[in-house]
């Protein structure tokens, strides 16, 4: 069955060899000077474009940076090197590339005002709280990219793969957030990049190992590489699973809070809930009302048992008046 699946996914007539892939993915082989020149030049401009897209909250600009980003080349070079059981320079190129992109993001952060709300930028907010589904998507993208590299007839899908896998933008976000002192946000973006990197390497190893499946030495080498990759892959998966759980719980709590606040305001004509957000472990309820608010104790009582005890709640009116409600369960 496995042999049949391999023949279906990687038809022999369209299959490239590991040697051919290594020649393309190793930046120190062949015309190394030209390869490295292209890599560093395109990576720098990709980082600058991504920084511009992130800081201006422009999705189109960020997509442009993804298309020209060459960082996936040495990452896939790690995968082919692991399958072939050889140590190469791909890891050093990835590390140096990461530092370059983060530095560009940090420089770009100098243009951001000190009081700027980073999470109001969708390009930043969308890359600082990765979840388990991001890892699943990265794995699928990694397999698509590895197959595109391994087959002679599907190379046209590579630009789509470059857009789907997020490498340079989260690193730019790391630099921007670190430059603003938002270390937790920077860590979230870094976890997103690491999860995507590990997904690419893992998927590349699986596909590249199938190219020359009959060679015993690569098979042994890839098994050792899988074991080495397993620990960080599992650790990142657990972190993303925890992040996903927190995100789901926050959604449940904000939904319940919105419903409770709507019921609380139902006796006030014209009053309505505008938004409910969680910031700094506090539930903020934005309301619009033409009259005085009803007694706030009623809202706290309604929230008791629907959100965790001890969670601070604040009601903010459209007039800019903030009413501290207190803590649920007190």
């Amino acid at each position: 069955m496995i042999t049949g699946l391999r023949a279906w996914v990687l038809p022999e007539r369209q299959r490239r060899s590991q040697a051919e892939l290594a020649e393309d993915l190793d930046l120190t082989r062949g015309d190394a000077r030209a390869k490295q020149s292209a890599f560093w030049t395109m990576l720098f401009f990709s980082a600058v474009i991504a920084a511009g897209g992130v800081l201006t909250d422009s999705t189109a600009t960020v997509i442009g940076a993804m298309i020209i980003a060459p960082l996936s080349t040495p990452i896939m070079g790690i995968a082919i090197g692991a399958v072939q059981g050889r140590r190469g320079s791909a890891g050093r190129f990835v590390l140096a590339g990461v530092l370059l992109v983060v530095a560009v993001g940090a420089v770009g952060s100098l243009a951001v005002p000190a009081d700027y709300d980073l999470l109001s930028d969708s390009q930043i907010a969308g890359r600082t709280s990765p979840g388990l589904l991001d890892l699943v998507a990265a794995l699928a993208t990694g397999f698509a990219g590895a197959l595109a590299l391994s087959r002679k007839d599907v190379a046209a899908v590579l630009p789509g793969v470059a857009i789907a896998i997020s490498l340079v933008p989260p690193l730019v976000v790391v630099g921007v957030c670190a430059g603003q002192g938002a270390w937790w946000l920077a860590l979230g973006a870094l976890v997103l990049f690491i999860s995507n990197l590990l997904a690419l390497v893992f998927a590349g190893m699986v596909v590249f190992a199938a190219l020359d499946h009959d060679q015993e030495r690569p098979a042994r080498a890839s098994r050792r590489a899988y074991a080495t990759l397993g620990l960080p892959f599992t650790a990142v998966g657990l972190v993303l699973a925890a992040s996903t759980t927190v995100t789901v719980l926050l959604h449940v709590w904000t939904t319940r809070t919105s419903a409770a606040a709507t019921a609380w305001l139902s006796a006030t004509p014209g009053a309505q809930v505008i938004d409910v957000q969680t910031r700094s472990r506090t539930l903020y309820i934005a309301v619009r009302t033409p009259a005085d608010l009803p007694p706030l104790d009623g809202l706290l009582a309604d929230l008791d048992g629907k959100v965790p005890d001890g969670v601070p709640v604040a009601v903010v009116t459209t007039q800019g008046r903030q009413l501290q409600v207190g803590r649920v369960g007190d």
Side-chain angles (χ1 to χ4, degrees):
M1 180 178 177
I2 295 178
T3 302
L5 179 63
R6 174 179 174 240
W8 173 262
V9 176
L10 293 169
E12 186 172 356
R13 294 180 59 183
Q14 299 295 341
R15 192 183 307 163
R16 302 179 69 195
S17 68
Q18 290 182 5
E20 290 176 307
L21 281 177
E23 182 70 24
D24 290 344
L25 298 175
D26 191 339
L27 298 178
T28 62
R29 289 192 181 189
D31 191 351
R33 182 181 179 87
K35 283 184 177 180
Q36 293 173 28
S37 172
F39 173 76
W40 291 117
T41 302
M42 298 305 289
L43 182 62
F44 173 76
F45 284 116
S46 173
V48 172
I49 295 171
V54 166
L55 294 175
T56 60
D57 199 2
S58 172
T59 301
T61 305
V62 172
I63 290 175
M66 291 178 179
I67 292 176
I68 67 173
L71 199 54
S72 60
T73 297
I75 291 177
M76 284 300 191
I78 295 175
I80 192 65
V83 169
Q84 293 182 328
R86 57 177 177 81
R87 293 184 178 181
S89 58
R92 293 195 296 272
F93 279 103
V94 172
L95 179 59
V98 166
L99 295 176
L100 171 64
V101 177
V102 171
V104 170
V107 172
S109 72
L110 298 176
V112 179
D115 59 348
Y116 182 71
D117 182 8
L118 293 174
L119 292 180
S120 67
D121 187 325
S122 65
Q123 300 301 322
I124 294 177
R127 293 180 172 87
T128 53
S129 55
L132 197 58
L133 288 179
D134 291 298
L135 182 60
V136 174
L139 274 171
T141 306
F143 279 111
L147 286 171
L149 289 170
S150 302
R151 291 181 54 157
K152 302 173 184 177
D153 57 339
V154 291
V157 307
L158 283 175
V161 171
I163 294 173
I165 194 73
S166 193
L167 297 173
V168 169
L171 290 176
V172 167
V173 172
V174 171
V176 170
C177 293
Q180 290 289 298
W183 298 107
W184 278 110
L185 297 182
L187 180 61
L190 183 61
V191 169
L192 174 61
F193 169 77
I194 292 174
S195 66
N196 289 345
L197 183 150
L198 292 175
L200 279 177
V201 173
F202 176 80
M205 288 171 57
V206 171
V207 174
F208 299 158
L211 291 175
D212 298 336
H213 184 70
D214 297 331
Q215 296 184 13
E216 183 62 24
R217 182 177 177 274
R220 290 197 303 269
S222 61
R223 283 194 292 269
R224 289 195 299 270
Y226 290 137
T228 303
L229 190 66
L231 183 60
F233 201 85
T234 301
V236 169
L238 291 175
V239 170
L240 295 181
S243 177
T244 301
T245 301
V246 170
T247 300
V248 171
L249 288 175
L250 288 176
H251 177 72
V252 170
W253 294 335
T254 55
T255 300
R256 290 176 177 175
T257 301
S258 179
T262 299
W264 174 61
L265 293 174
S266 61
T268 305
Q272 63 181 32
V273 177
I274 301 173
D275 190 24
V276 178
Q277 293 184 355
T278 304
R279 299 197 303 271
S280 302
R281 301 179 183 179
T282 300
L283 282 168
Y284 287 88
I285 306 172
V287 302
R288 180 185 292 116
T289 175
D292 291 335
L293 291 171
L296 302 178
D297 290 342
L299 176 59
L300 279 180
D302 204 14
L303 287 174
D304 191 15
K306 296 179 180 177
V307 300
D309 290 345
V311 173
V313 178
V315 178
V316 183
T317 68
T318 52
Q319 290 82 15
R321 188 160 50 96
Q322 179 170 305
L323 305 174
Q324 292 292 341
V325 177
R327 296 178 182 273
V328 177
D330 288 353

